[in-house]
Amino acid sequence: MTTIKRIVSDIDGTLVDDQGQLLPATIKGVQAAVAQGAQMVLASARSPKGMFGIAQQLGINSTMIAYNGALTATTDVNDQLTVYEQCAVQPPLAQAVQSLIAQKWPAASINIYTNNDWLVAANGPWEQQEAAGIGYQPRVTDLAVWLKRTPTPVHKIMIMADPDVIQAIEQRLMSDEFEQLAVYRSKDTYLEIVAAGVTKAAALIKLLQDDQVTPAEAIAFGDNFNDVAMLQTVGVGIAMANAPQAVKNAANTVTTDNNHDGIQATVARYFS
């Protein structure tokens, strides 16, 4: 059996349960693998700051593939980033997206993610819903003014709105004007926007190259369509039982859903 040097995992719907909590068995399994020389890589649409609490609970110092691959970094308790790779949205495109949505769909929540910062125009119900899930509050600012300066890279833009609004915005952003963006729905009410070419898989390939680890020496867990390429990049891709059937079909194997001990059971096969 190939020695596994990297364990890569999505977070929401995969590493944590439906309440957003790590199962005790998952913590135990990851810590046993790390004690035997493996390294854990967290890969998520979240910011590094939004993943740091998970890393702390696991007792690991994880390299993080954040914003679905737009930023690979480590962070610490003081939110200080060490950036390894990044691919940001071009400032004129970010300005165009913000201006378009603010004017045409003013009820939509526009969220700018830059390094460890989460910027919003107002802290309303949509923003509070998101804050409850990720464990920290956004910073309220004039987004148009901030984007004119763009003092730090725009790693991700997220729009929160009712499903019909999200669908309309998605359709509008499919025009040639925005061809240098990758746009996808992570929920019916969430639209995620990153630079074209940004994926968890692309970021993982670069990270493995930098670490001189072969894809065969890595396993990965995921539960959604944005995890498929990542699952197919590594030696063994493991889908959660709660994943859509197409994701399961793309994986090498399927474990239990995220509310049960499937991650620990799978990891234990490689680190007994």
Side-chain angles (χ1 to χ4, degrees):
M1 184 182 293
T2 302
T3 299
I4 299 302
K5 297 181 179 179
R6 295 291 181 275
I7 303 168
V8 188
S9 183
D10 171 54
I11 294 179
D12 298 290
T14 301
L15 194 64
V16 299
D17 65 17
D18 287 348
Q19 284 69 51
Q21 303 299 312
L22 285 165
L23 299 174
T26 301
I27 297 173
K28 181 179 178 181
V30 169
Q31 290 180 343
V34 170
Q36 294 182 52
Q39 290 186 22
M40 184 82 182
V41 176
L42 302 178
S44 173
R46 296 188 187 199
S47 66
K49 181 175 182 174
M51 290 188 264
F52 184 68
I54 299 293
Q56 282 194 308
Q57 291 177 61
L58 289 170
I60 60 173
N61 181 23
S62 175
T63 300
M64 299 168 182
I65 295 174
Y67 303 128
N68 277 322
L71 175 66
T72 302
T74 57
T75 191
D76 65 17
V77 71
N78 297 313
D79 296 338
Q80 294 300 304
L81 279 179
T82 300
V83 175
Y84 301 116
E85 298 288 339
Q86 60 183 322
C87 184
V89 175
Q90 295 176 15
L93 274 176
Q95 291 179 50
V97 169
Q98 187 275 331
S99 177
L100 171 70
I101 295 171
Q103 290 175 27
K104 194 163 184 179
W105 296 280
S109 167
I110 305 171
N111 303 261
I112 305 292
Y113 294 89
T114 171
N115 294 329
N116 264 330
D117 291 328
W118 170 24
L119 310 178
V120 296
N123 198 353
W126 285 112
E127 293 80 9
Q128 284 305 299
Q129 173 185 290
E130 180 65 7
I134 63 175
Y136 67 96
Q137 292 290 324
R139 177 158 62 91
V140 178
T141 191
D142 186 319
L143 296 180
V145 171
W146 188 90
L147 285 167
K148 283 180 183 176
R149 297 185 299 115
T150 316
T152 50
V154 175
H155 292 112
K156 186 178 80 165
I157 303 170
M158 186 172 74
I159 311 302
M160 295 184 284
D162 291 335
D164 58 334
V165 174
I166 290 295
Q167 187 172 4
I169 295 172
E170 182 181 29
Q171 284 296 113
R172 179 64 181 83
L173 295 180
M174 291 301 168
S175 66
D176 291 346
E177 177 186 357
F178 298 106
E179 65 180 359
Q180 293 180 356
L181 297 175
V183 180
Y184 62 94
R185 275 178 277 181
S186 54
K187 301 179 184 178
D188 286 344
T189 53
Y190 281 34
L191 192 68
E192 313 254 357
I193 304 163
V194 292
V198 165
T199 65
K200 292 181 184 180
L204 177 59
I205 289 167
K206 185 67 171 67
L207 178 63
L208 293 176
Q209 288 173 344
D210 290 346
D211 290 349
Q212 296 184 319
V213 173
T214 68
E217 294 172 317
I219 62 174
F221 296 89
D223 77 305
N224 220 326
F225 296 106
N226 63 334
D227 297 317
V228 167
M230 178 178 76
L231 298 181
Q232 295 180 326
T233 294
V234 297
V236 180
I238 304 114
M240 308 304 289
N242 49 290
Q245 189 59 47
V247 178
K248 296 177 187 176
N249 292 345
N252 298 104
T253 187
V254 178
T255 188
T256 67
D257 66 39
N258 59 312
N259 294 312
H260 294 86
D261 297 343
I263 289 182
Q264 186 271 338
T266 303
V267 168
R269 295 179 200 152
Y270 299 94
F271 301 93
S272 55

